[in-house]
Amino acid sequence: MVSHEDLAVRTLGPCRIDSPLAERLVARETTQHSVVEEDRILFDDTISMAGGRGLPVEQLPSLEPGGPRKRIYFDPAKTRVGIVTCGGLCPGLNDVIRGLVLELSRHYGVRRIVGFRNGYRGFVPRYGEDVVDLTPEVVMHIDDEGGTILGTSRGEQDPDEIVDALERLNINILFVIGGDGTIRGAMDVVRVVGERGLKVAVVGIPKTIDNDIPYIDQSFGFQTAMAEATKSIHAASVEARSAPGGIGLVKLMGRHSGFIACYATLAKDDADYVLIPEVPFALDGERGLLQHLRRRVQERGHAVVVVAEGAGQEYIEGEEPGRDASGNVRFGDIGRLLRKRIVEHLDAHGVENNVRYFDPSYAIRSVPANPFDSAYCLRLAHAAVHAAMAGRTEVIVARRRRRFVHMPMPLAVSRRNHVDPLGDLWLSVLEATGQPVRFE
Ligand SMILES: Nc1ncnc2c1ncn2[C@@H]1O[C@H](COP(=O)(O)OP(=O)(O)OP(=O)(O)O)[C@@H](O)[C@H]1O
Ligand SMILES: O=P(O)(O)OC[C@H]1O[C@](O)(CO)[C@@H](O)[C@@H]1O
Ligand SMILES: [Mg+2]
């Protein structure tokens, strides 16, 4: 259970400098639409959860609100900022970079902003990466493209070498844009910064198309990626309906969390089966997927199956799961295995079949952000700049139940966000597909 202590935000010191944004804050008060800096946002949102703690309201776990402060820690004229993007691509990375640079330069008057190339290796001299000056002119139209203008990478780097680079360049604020691995890396940087007695703020903007960062509303880029995924489901459905015994099979990203598969399915209500890592399924047997699918094809002539890449890994034999440079597990291809097993099963039962396999893979995450995600990225970037200028460190900025908040990095990596097999989302998926609660 998340406690008050888990939500405590670290700061570099007292805020003694008037913020250039202070005038705009004079009339602000806590409302449905804003939370003033003196206020806190309750963590629990049901009476049973909050009441179950048995605490007076002021002692309930609460989050620090995001947003501009009247007084800030860093003197903008003397502040030097670094930005890095790490991990896999996600729609909106360029929007976040652009938002950071524009907010820092236009509203706070920060003049020295650099981008480190290709993730954490951009700090390490032996890779020979250059450092990019990020000005408003450089970033103005980068949101038109997917990817990240800074490049990204996986793979472990020595936090001491990262902090050496921060020291060499006199960086006061580091923005890290990345997923759980990136945030863990940032926590190592914070540790070394502390050991050396430096005053460097490290603020994260969480990035994951898998939507697997806990305690936040959907992560940026998720909506865009999910919308892209619907195109493959639609194509699979068209193919399936246009051939005798047509079966459209779509594999979507989602290593440990099946959010993309679930939401894309709900958005394009064409799928008959959704398989996700969180819900194990039996392939064989009277109540297994294959029998069910065969009956469905015999009755209705076609079917669409959506599978998240991390689902059903226990069926992939003979292949030791590999690891990527960051140590993340590389899964076997559940889509190809399903295709093989479906064809074998239907052939064995003399059922005509035409299986079409779609693997949109990277295509869903390399596109530019849609307008919703672009706006979301910009607002996250604003919140990140406000947090950093106020000396917050080892935090990510996040939106939780539509409020922008500061969340300590340790909490953000304390667990993974999963589709709850007993929760509302999975229930909606079951209702939309009509598939059984379990294949067992
Ligand atoms: N446990 C860890 N401790 C320190 N650094 C880490 C850790 N895990 C990953 N990193 C570093 O963070 C960077 C990005 O990590 P990773 O490749 O796991 O992507 P990610 O940020 O989790 O994003 P994605 O959502 O694409 O998985 C890499 O340089 C990696 O070495
Ligand atoms: O092949 P890459 O670039 O390492 O990334 C693939 C992985 O990255 C993600 O997009 C995010 O972690 C996963 O869904 C996917 O398995
Ligand atoms: Mg990760």
Side-chain angles (χ1 to χ4, degrees):
M1 204 185 216
V2 172
S3 72
H4 203 63
E5 293 69 45
D6 296 328
L7 304 176
V9 165
R10 290 180 58 176
T11 69
L12 294 175
C15 292
R16 297 211 171 94
I17 297 172
D18 287 334
S19 166
L21 301 180
E23 266 181 33
R24 303 177 187 200
L25 307 178
V26 175
R28 263 168 75 103
E29 56 187 36
T30 293
T31 68
Q32 291 273 351
H33 310 290
S34 63
V35 185
V36 292
E37 59 187 283
E38 298 78 15
D39 205 348
R40 304 275 305 182
I41 296 164
L42 289 177
F43 187 81
D44 298 322
D45 71 342
T46 67
I47 288 180
S48 64
M49 284 195 277
R53 292 180 186 268
L55 294 169
V57 70
E58 61 282 359
Q59 287 175 27
L60 287 172
S62 60
L63 287 148
E64 182 173 83
R69 268 58 185 158
K70 297 184 196 83
R71 291 168 80 81
I72 55 179
Y73 177 80
F74 287 107
D75 176 356
K78 301 183 183 64
T79 301
R80 194 167 175 125
V81 173
I83 302 176
V84 66
T85 52
C86 310
L89 288 186
C90 176
L93 287 165
N94 281 336
D95 296 74
V96 175
I97 296 168
R98 177 178 178 275
L100 293 172
V101 173
L102 295 184
E103 182 69 12
L104 284 161
S105 50
R106 288 188 174 161
H107 293 293
Y108 283 94
V110 172
R111 292 188 290 269
R112 293 173 298 177
I113 310 168
V114 295
F116 291 90
R117 284 219 193 261
N118 294 326
Y120 285 136
R121 61 184 257 172
F123 295 82
V124 179
R126 72 172 179 281
Y127 291 102
E129 306 281 8
D130 60 343
V131 169
V132 196
D133 279 322
L134 294 174
T135 60
E137 295 70 39
V138 168
V139 301
M140 190 50 72
H141 300 295
I142 61 173
D143 52 325
D144 292 340
E145 294 293 330
T148 157
I149 56 155
L150 297 178
T152 182
S153 68
R154 299 191 188 274
E156 196 178 336
Q157 307 301 339
D158 179 357
D160 272 297
E161 293 205 69
I162 296 175
V163 179
D164 288 346
L166 295 177
E167 285 205 76
R168 273 195 299 274
L169 291 166
N170 291 318
I171 301 282
N172 310 105
I173 295 173
L174 177 64
F175 291 106
V176 297
I177 312 169
D180 55 336
T182 305
I183 297 169
R184 285 195 177 87
M187 288 164 59
D188 289 342
V189 171
V190 170
R191 178 177 48 75
V192 175
V193 161
E195 285 165 4
R196 296 190 191 181
L198 303 172
K199 293 290 189 185
V200 178
V202 182
V203 173
I205 300 98
K207 169 237 62 139
T208 145
I209 57 156
D210 292 353
N211 197 37
D212 57 4
I213 303 283
Y215 306 119
I216 69 174
D217 296 348
Q218 280 168 1
S219 47
F220 77 78
F222 174 79
Q223 237 198 46
T224 305
M226 177 273 270
E228 281 301 304
T230 63
K231 294 177 184 169
S232 295
I233 298 178
H234 180 63
S237 167
V238 171
E239 289 283 349
R241 281 183 276 119
S242 305
I247 297 172
L249 172 61
V250 184
K251 185 182 77 167
L252 296 172
M253 281 190 169
R255 265 200 269 242
H256 305 282
S257 304
F259 288 102
I260 294 175
C262 288
Y263 274 100
T265 293
L266 294 180
K268 197 81 216 119
D269 193 5
D270 280 336
D272 304 292
Y273 303 95
V274 179
L275 307 170
I276 59 172
E278 295 89 335
V279 182
F281 60 94
L283 263 181
D284 300 301
E286 189 51 31
R287 288 152 65 93
L289 172 71
L290 294 174
Q291 297 271 19
H292 203 282
L293 178 64
R294 175 171 56 80
R295 287 195 293 272
R296 154 106 210 172
V297 173
Q298 284 173 318
E299 282 161 21
R300 302 207 206 159
H302 53 85
V304 174
V305 183
V306 174
V307 60
E309 64 176 328
Q313 288 300 305
E314 64 275 22
Y315 294 115
I316 297 178
E317 289 166 355
E319 280 178 45
E320 265 305 296
R323 300 263 164 193
D324 69 16
S326 295
N328 300 303
V329 63
R330 276 197 192 283
F331 287 132
D333 191 337
I334 183 65
R336 280 169 52 182
L337 178 126
L338 279 179
R339 177 174 61 183
K340 178 168 170 289
R341 295 294 310 275
I342 291 168
V343 172
E344 283 171 1
H345 180 83
L346 295 187
D347 285 352
H349 287 79
V351 179
E352 185 177 13
N353 61 85
N354 280 291
V355 182
R356 305 281 186 257
Y357 177 35
F358 293 74
D359 182 359
S361 182
Y362 299 107
I364 69 166
R365 70 177 203 188
S366 49
V367 292
N370 70 15
F372 174 90
D373 273 326
S374 286
Y376 185 23
C377 288
L378 187 67
R379 297 188 69 197
L380 283 168
H382 291 172
V385 170
H386 299 320
M389 291 304 292
R392 301 308 192 261
T393 191
E394 207 180 30
V395 288
I396 62 163
V397 288
R399 199 166 59 167
R400 178 170 164 83
R401 305 204 186 97
R402 309 196 70 79
R403 305 271 202 196
F404 285 91
V405 297
H406 298 163
M407 187 177 291
M409 286 183 176
L411 184 69
V413 296
S414 61
R415 55 178 283 263
R416 210 187 282 283
N417 190 29
H418 285 299
V419 177
D420 179 356
L422 300 174
D424 293 347
L425 174 60
W426 187 243
L427 189 61
S428 292
V429 171
L430 294 179
E431 287 174 343
T433 58
Q435 74 191 65
V437 174
R438 293 268 167 186
F439 293 108
E440 49 198 5

